[in-house]
Amino acid sequence: MWDPQQYEHFRDARKRPFFELLARVPVAAPGLVADLGCGTGDLTLTLAQRWPGARVSGVDSSEPMIAEALRRPAPERVRFELADLARWQPSAPLDVLVSNAALHWLPDHAALLSRLVGLIAPGGVLAFQVPANFEEPSHRRIDEVRALPRFSPALASVRRGHAESLAFYEAHLARLGLAVDAWETVYLHVLPGEDAVLQWLLGTTLRPVLAALGLGEDQVFLDILRPLLRQDYPAAPHGTPFLFRRRFVVAVRQPSS
Ligand SMILES: C[S@@+](CC[C@H](N)C(=O)[O-])C[C@H]1O[C@@H](n2cnc3c(N)ncnc32)[C@H](O)[C@@H]1O
């Protein structure tokens, strides 16, 4: 379902939130670090560079993404695994659990976060970033096309991504005894190329939708979506401006808990 090359297309814009998240992680020398939903693994490797004494696990449920990650030269202490992050278990409690742009694909964030906190050692950190763009024109247009009678039966079981509010994340993690630093950033990307917003969406949001439609129908879907996106995101001579909202959470488990 995932296409590493399409995902890499806007790499710089997608990397920046990862580094802005990691800049707030207050850990000097962790022993065990995990990157859940690690994708192609390039950002996982930066965790190993930042913490030269850490063992680092990159976990992803997509075979093409993990295959791409495994192709990267990596030190022995970095491991990539094909697994569902909702079920994955580390070999020992984690000092840092990072998840960048992945948790929005999973349901029930209260239960999910409770589980992830249970994987962290006392004094350890949970750091995640989720896109929160689901009410923007790009996503509304996808919903509009999804709802057409031609597509809706095939797409009924395809989940839409979701993010909870910052207040929700803070309250839930504080109840679990963590100290929370949470914020939201809206990026104004100026995307190069033709049908740039569609190209961006093809790297992420549209993957499960197109996979469920299958060959042929996926092109019909895109032919309907393309002009709607051109209308909402007209290209300027210097590129296509595209607003993108993201939520960030860095939560520290109390050393005694
Ligand atoms: C938008 S990509 C982000 C990849 C990487 N974290 C980055 O920032 O470049 C989302 C990744 O989450 C993975 N993913 C989605 N649901 C998952 C799950 N239940 N378990 C593990 N990985 C998952 C996808 O396969 C995909 O590689």
Side-chain angles (χ1 to χ4, degrees):
M1 182 175 93
W2 286 87
D3 177 345
Q5 269 152 20
Q6 187 69 35
Y7 184 67
E8 296 289 302
H9 209 70
F10 297 104
R11 200 61 194 129
D12 285 343
R14 295 195 200 278
K15 267 183 186 171
R16 180 172 158 191
F18 177 88
F19 291 113
E20 291 179 356
L21 176 71
L22 265 294
R24 298 289 299 169
V25 173
V27 179
L32 204 54
V33 173
D35 180 7
L36 302 188
C38 65
T40 60
D42 57 336
L43 298 177
T44 316
L45 290 176
T46 69
L47 299 175
Q49 284 160 5
R50 171 169 170 182
W51 292 304
R55 282 187 290 134
V56 179
S57 293
V59 176
D60 203 284
S61 56
S62 155
E63 281 185 34
M65 289 299 214
I66 283 292
E68 190 69 17
L70 287 168
R71 273 195 276 276
R72 295 182 188 278
E76 177 66 16
R77 62 195 171 81
V78 177
R79 290 289 160 89
F80 289 106
E81 288 175 52
L82 181 67
D84 183 343
L85 72 87
R87 283 188 274 275
W88 178 79
Q89 288 288 342
S91 55
L94 298 165
D95 299 301
V96 180
L97 190 167
V98 176
S99 185
N100 188 55
L103 299 186
H104 59 296
W105 292 111
L106 285 91
D108 192 350
H109 281 191
L112 176 66
L113 292 182
S114 299
R115 189 187 111 72
L116 296 182
V117 167
L119 305 182
I120 296 172
V125 174
L126 167 66
F128 66 91
Q129 179 271 119
V130 278
N133 236 32
F134 306 107
E135 304 310 320
E136 289 297 314
S138 53
H139 288 63
R140 287 184 182 277
R141 288 303 197 183
I142 293 173
D143 287 347
E144 194 179 316
V145 183
R146 279 181 69 143
L148 295 174
R150 176 166 186 155
F151 305 119
S152 58
L155 298 177
S157 62
V158 176
R159 289 195 62 250
R160 200 177 178 265
H162 84 290
E164 299 291 353
S165 66
L166 290 180
F168 172 95
Y169 291 130
E170 193 281 331
H172 186 68
L173 291 167
R175 264 198 301 278
L176 295 173
L178 285 83
V180 179
D181 172 17
W183 70 99
E184 186 169 284
T185 301
V186 182
Y187 298 90
L188 175 62
H189 300 304
V190 181
L191 304 178
E194 214 174 304
D195 289 317
V197 173
L198 180 65
Q199 291 301 323
W200 175 287
L201 297 168
L202 281 170
T204 54
T205 313
L206 284 171
R207 302 306 321 164
V209 172
L210 300 179
L213 288 173
L215 284 183
E217 278 303 277
D218 59 352
Q219 292 310 314
V220 180
F221 188 97
L222 293 178
D223 287 345
I224 297 172
L225 182 61
R226 192 176 293 109
L228 300 174
L229 292 174
R230 281 183 188 159
Q231 212 175 301
D232 291 344
Y233 298 96
H238 62 286
T240 305
F242 181 45
L243 281 178
F244 206 99
R245 181 181 304 273
R246 295 179 184 273
R247 294 193 183 128
F248 299 77
V249 177
V250 175
V252 182
R253 194 171 157 188
Q254 300 309 308
S256 53
S257 69

